[in-house]
Amino acid sequence: MASTADIKNGVVLSIDGQLWNVIEFQHVKPGKGGAFVRTKLKNVLSGKVVDRTYNAGAKIDIENVDRRDFTYLYNDGDNFVFMDVDDYDQINVAAATVGDAANFLLENQQVQIALNNGNPLYVELPASVVLEITYTEPGLQGDRSSAGTKAATVETGYEIQVPLFVEQGTKVKVDTRTGDYLGRVN
């Protein structure tokens, strides 16, 4: 058992049998009354964010979460297969655990996977990835009905909005958190 003094950003707490990641925390010592810790927690599996307050010195359960580097190998139907960079062991991660990260995964891409007792919790991608545009309509000069953007499909099959001048075969940088176009890559 740990106390609220051990709370830090990135620590995973076990609350009512569920795992919660600490996004931010603040130790508050008001002039009147006892000190307390105000936290913002994100559910590891569902992504739900809640605010929770603890009295200073309260006992909490901190879970051991191991973040390790993996290489994405291939999709095996309902599972994604990753290889540990250190010992070359392969693990299968369910599609539900991978979630939206599947839209940006390319073979041999480096990712981080958070493991708890050997079970994968979530997949962390780099902040941005470089993908090739496989299909997009030609942009018409003077067409501003869509604010200068058009739909484009990248090599993973995901559809993003790009400026009118981007053509098929162009490599673009895409934000993995929002799916936004960040720019062309030479």
Side-chain angles (χ1 to χ4, degrees):
M1 280 296 219
S3 73
T4 54
D6 300 318
I7 292 179
K8 295 178 183 62
N9 288 346
V11 167
V12 177
L13 306 177
S14 176
I15 303 169
D16 300 329
Q18 294 186 333
L19 298 178
W20 297 83
N21 195 359
V22 176
I23 299 172
E24 57 185 65
F25 72 99
Q26 180 181 21
H27 288 278
V28 179
K29 185 161 177 20
K32 181 177 172 185
F36 59 91
V37 178
R38 189 178 295 138
T39 62
K40 184 178 279 192
L41 306 171
K42 180 179 180 182
N43 190 308
V44 170
L45 300 177
S46 69
K48 179 180 176 185
V49 177
V50 297
D51 292 325
R52 191 137 189 189
T53 303
Y54 295 97
N55 290 330
K59 299 293 181 199
I60 55 173
D61 283 336
I62 293 182
E63 282 291 326
N64 182 22
V65 174
D66 186 21
R67 290 179 176 84
R68 296 180 15 206
D69 291 327
F70 284 84
T71 301
Y72 171 62
L73 297 178
Y74 59 92
N75 185 347
D76 183 21
D78 294 337
N79 293 318
F80 290 80
V81 180
F82 294 89
M83 179 182 67
D84 193 328
V85 174
D86 297 329
D87 58 12
Y88 305 111
D89 283 344
Q90 292 184 9
I91 63 167
N92 292 333
V93 180
T97 304
V98 174
D100 290 340
N103 297 329
F104 308 106
L105 274 177
L106 291 174
E107 289 182 4
N108 298 321
Q109 184 174 355
Q110 299 295 318
V111 298
Q112 254 193 356
I113 298 179
L115 301 167
N116 175 259
N117 299 329
N119 299 323
L121 300 175
Y122 57 88
V123 175
E124 276 184 27
L125 292 173
S128 64
V129 292
V130 175
L131 299 171
E132 185 175 334
I133 302 290
T134 56
Y135 176 78
T136 186
E137 295 287 335
L140 299 175
Q141 190 66 24
D143 177 18
R144 295 292 179 261
S145 63
S146 57
T149 62
K150 61 182 178 178
T153 306
V154 294
E155 57 191 306
T156 60
Y158 187 64
E159 193 171 282
I160 62 172
Q161 291 293 317
V162 296
L164 292 173
F165 58 82
V166 175
E167 299 172 355
Q168 193 167 315
T170 305
K171 289 192 180 287
V172 295
K173 188 181 269 191
V174 180
D175 188 326
T176 57
R177 296 166 298 223
T178 61
D180 291 342
Y181 164 85
L182 296 175
R184 289 185 291 185
V185 177
N186 294 341

